[in-house]
């Protein structure tokens, strides 16, 4: 089974940027779809972005489209999410997740492997 560890969450002022990292181990990195989810207090968990292990396919939620990038480093088995122009509504716990098959939907319950989460707080 794959294990995932997120890092990079911090306090950021509105308009700022950050990069989140998801380090994977215990599995064949290229065989997985890696996704970023976030969950704010009182809200459902929602997908932010996703990438194939090979790095050839990418997905972005409307909430971050145009101000986020996602990339993978196969040598390090790590996925990165860059989010720019952060806003207070981006405040949430961000999770890295993985599944072993391709798909067109990114519902949380389709991802069996999860990291522990990293807190992102955006101040106005």
């Amino acid at each position: 089974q794959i294990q995932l560890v997120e890092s990079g969450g911090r306090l950021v002022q509105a308009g700022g940027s950050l990069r989140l990292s998801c380090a994977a181990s215990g599995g064949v990195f290229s065989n997985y779809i890696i996704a970023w989810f976030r969950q704010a207090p009182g809200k459902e968990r929602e997908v932010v972005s996703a990438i194939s292990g090979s790095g050839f396919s990418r997905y972005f939620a409307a909430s971050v489209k145009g101000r986020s990038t996602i990339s993978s480093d196969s040598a390090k088995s790590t996925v990165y999410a860059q989010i720019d122009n952060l806003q207070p509504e981006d405040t949430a716990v961000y999770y890295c997740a993985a599944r072993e098959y391709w798909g067109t939907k990114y519902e949380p319950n389709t991802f069996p492997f999860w990291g522990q989460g990293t807190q992102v707080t955006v101040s106005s």
Side-chain angles (χ1 to χ4, degrees), residues 39-85:
Q39 187 164 23
K43 295 186 177 181
E44 294 185 357
R45 191 167 298 186
E46 63 179 9
V47 66
V48 178
S49 60
I51 190 170
S52 62
S54 64
F56 290 115
S57 298
R58 292 170 171 83
Y59 167 84
F60 298 96
S63 59
V64 300
K65 197 170 186 178
R67 60 187 183 99
S68 182
T69 58
I70 186 167
S71 60
S72 63
D73 184 335
S74 60
K76 296 181 178 180
S77 296
T78 300
V79 168
Y80 305 95
Q82 176 79 31
I83 307 176
D84 301 319
N85 193 25

